[in-house]
Amino acid sequence: MSQCLPPSAIDIEGFDQLFAESSRIGATPAGGLHRLAASREDGQVRDLLSQWLEAHDLDVRVDPAGNLFGLATFDPAAPYILCGSHLDSQPTAGRFDGAYGVIAGAVAVARVSRLHRQAGVAPRFNLALVDWTNEEGARFQPSLIGSSYFIGELDAAQAHAATDAKGVTLGQALGEIGYLGAARVELPVAGYAEVHVEQGTGLSERAAAIGVVRSTWAAIKLSLRFNGVQAHTGPTPMAARIDALWAAARCIDATRRLSDEFGSALHSSVGKLDIYPNSPNVVPSRVTCFVELRSARPALLEEACARLHSELDAVASATGCGYQVLSEQVRAPAHLEPALGDAVQAICHELALPCVDSVTVSGHDAISMSRKYPSVLVFIPSEGGIAHNEGELTQERDLHNGLHVLTEFLYRASLGRLAL
């Protein structure tokens, strides 16, 4: 017989209400979400979450990277188990990516905290909910700024200096919305849990309710700048043009051809171009493009990246444009904490929820956290695998299943029943 906590109608209703309220902030006419990091809308949804956390007796803190915490502290000397995700979105994206994990985490932490206080129990571990800043990287680069700051891979000055397309820094933007914390939130961390929509079709194809992420793909992210010569698109002879956009177009084609050659083992994209002067009658003199290569196989990824650099040399020769590698980020593949994944699977077995092992191609804050702390990432199904799109959808039963699993995980973990 299952020893799991029974579902709480009050908490399910509270989750539904808070998720609906958060989804209205930055909502698009097509039912999606446009809520960029440190925007006015991001400030509004943070206000909503902060007020909810305070109303449920959680201590709200903000650090210099803008990470928003809700703390349930039972013993100031004890470590914390964190859970959360992010409230920022891509442009005209979906309602579920990231935001679901924050709302589910808030409700789960509040319920477990309430249970312990009602029972007069002093659990072994404290609990904390966190909304990480700029997970998406849509407005500020790099992505995963908040969690990277928390684990010490970025300092506050680096985080604050990230700049959007209009020249606004993340530090300025956080200050404008009132979420630029003054001091690091010092938390001894025992472990981290994140529940997230899958953004793929693996769970539905295997008729599973829950996926336990065991490993991640590796990634290489390049920022490239092609340098041409500004000229008039009318009288300038074609042979005399040094067109940076033509060079970027050839780079895009070369990037796609790599995936065509390597097949499903390599995902590639050029998702953003910055063009100067970006005028219809001017040959572009400068184009910056953002290239991604992803694979589960690091050796293949290195080979693909080397091939791309060779292609870039050929592009420069053919177009007359020079190019620069402005930045190159390499994310090694990761394996999440097996014992925590096993614990989630055991919970799912007791709840009679079909559960399978999963792999993530996307980056998540849980991947950042796993580089320093024991971490688990839990997936729930996405309808059709649609992600970063207004049509993103996860069914209510799956949202509630994820909430139930996370609540049970935090309850057991806080009591010291898991290997932390």
Side-chain angles (χ1 to χ4, degrees), residues 42-91:
D42 189 25
Q44 290 172 344
V45 76
R46 286 164 175 260
D47 290 344
L48 172 70
L49 178 63
S50 297
Q51 292 162 11
W52 192 95
L53 295 172
E54 289 174 347
H56 289 78
D57 300 319
L58 300 176
D59 181 19
V60 175
R61 306 277 184 87
V62 180
D63 72 13
N67 296 318
L68 171 63
F69 299 86
L71 308 181
T73 304
F74 310 103
D75 177 359
Y80 285 80
I81 299 165
L82 273 65
C83 72
S85 193
H86 60 96
L87 291 173
D88 67 311
S89 80
Q90 291 286 343

Side-chain angles (χ1 to χ4, degrees), residues 104-118:
V107 173
V109 168
R111 183 185 181 193
V112 174
S113 175
R114 185 174 70 248
L115 289 173
H116 289 326
R117 297 188 191 284
Q118 288 173 346

Side-chain angles (χ1 to χ4, degrees), residues 226-273:
F226 293 96
N227 299 303
V229 176
Q230 188 167 323
H232 197 305
T233 57
T236 306
M238 296 302 294
R241 300 184 188 192
I242 304 177
D243 187 339
L245 186 54
W246 182 36
R250 292 178 68 126
C251 170
I252 295 169
D253 180 63
T255 301
R256 176 54 189 254
R257 283 190 281 107
L258 283 172
S259 286
D260 292 342
E261 180 177 342
F262 286 102
S264 60
L266 178 71
H267 290 189
S268 67
S269 71
V270 178
K272 182 180 179 182
L273 294 176

Side-chain angles (χ1 to χ4, degrees), residues 105-264:
V107 173
V109 168
R111 183 185 181 193
V112 174
S113 175
R114 185 174 70 248
L115 289 173
H116 289 326
R117 297 188 191 284
Q118 288 173 346
V121 171
R124 182 177 173 187
F125 296 103
N126 301 311
L127 296 174
L129 177 279
V130 57
D131 163 35
W132 301 112
T133 295
N134 193 58
E135 191 272 354
E136 292 289 3
R139 182 180 179 190
F140 301 99
Q141 279 288 313
S143 57
L144 303 168
I145 283 180
S147 53
S148 296
Y149 167 79
F150 187 81
I151 65 172
E153 290 189 352
L154 286 178
D155 62 29
Q158 291 170 313
H160 294 167
T163 306
D164 70 7
K166 295 182 179 179
V168 178
T169 68
L170 177 58
Q172 291 172 320
L174 289 171
E176 288 172 1
I177 64 171
Y179 284 91
L180 181 62
R184 179 179 286 275
V185 178
E186 299 288 355
L187 299 178
V189 177
Y192 175 75
E194 182 169 348
V195 61
H196 203 283
V197 292
E198 184 186 22
Q199 303 177 302
T201 58
L203 296 183
S204 59
E205 290 170 358
R206 291 183 283 175
I210 298 290
V212 175
V213 176
R214 299 293 189 171
S215 62
T216 75
W217 279 31
I220 295 177
K221 298 189 175 189
L222 300 166
S223 174
L224 306 173
R225 178 174 292 165
F226 293 96
N227 299 303
V229 176
Q230 188 167 323
H232 197 305
T233 57
T236 306
M238 296 302 294
R241 300 184 188 192
I242 304 177
D243 187 339
L245 186 54
W246 182 36
R250 292 178 68 126
C251 170
I252 295 169
D253 180 63
T255 301
R256 176 54 189 254
R257 283 190 281 107
L258 283 172
S259 286
D260 292 342
E261 180 177 342
F262 286 102
S264 60

Side-chain angles (χ1 to χ4, degrees), residues 90-94 97 135-136 199 362 386-392:
Q90 291 286 343
T92 57
D97 177 2
E135 191 272 354
E136 292 289 3
Q199 303 177 302
S362 305
I386 297 171
H388 289 179
N389 181 295
E390 291 169 293
E392 182 181 284

Side-chain angles (χ1 to χ4, degrees), residues 8-27:
S8 165
I10 292 176
D11 290 301
I12 290 173
E13 181 181 351
F15 165 82
D16 289 344
Q17 180 178 349
L18 184 58
F19 186 73
E21 290 177 4
S22 72
S23 297
R24 285 193 284 270
I25 299 174

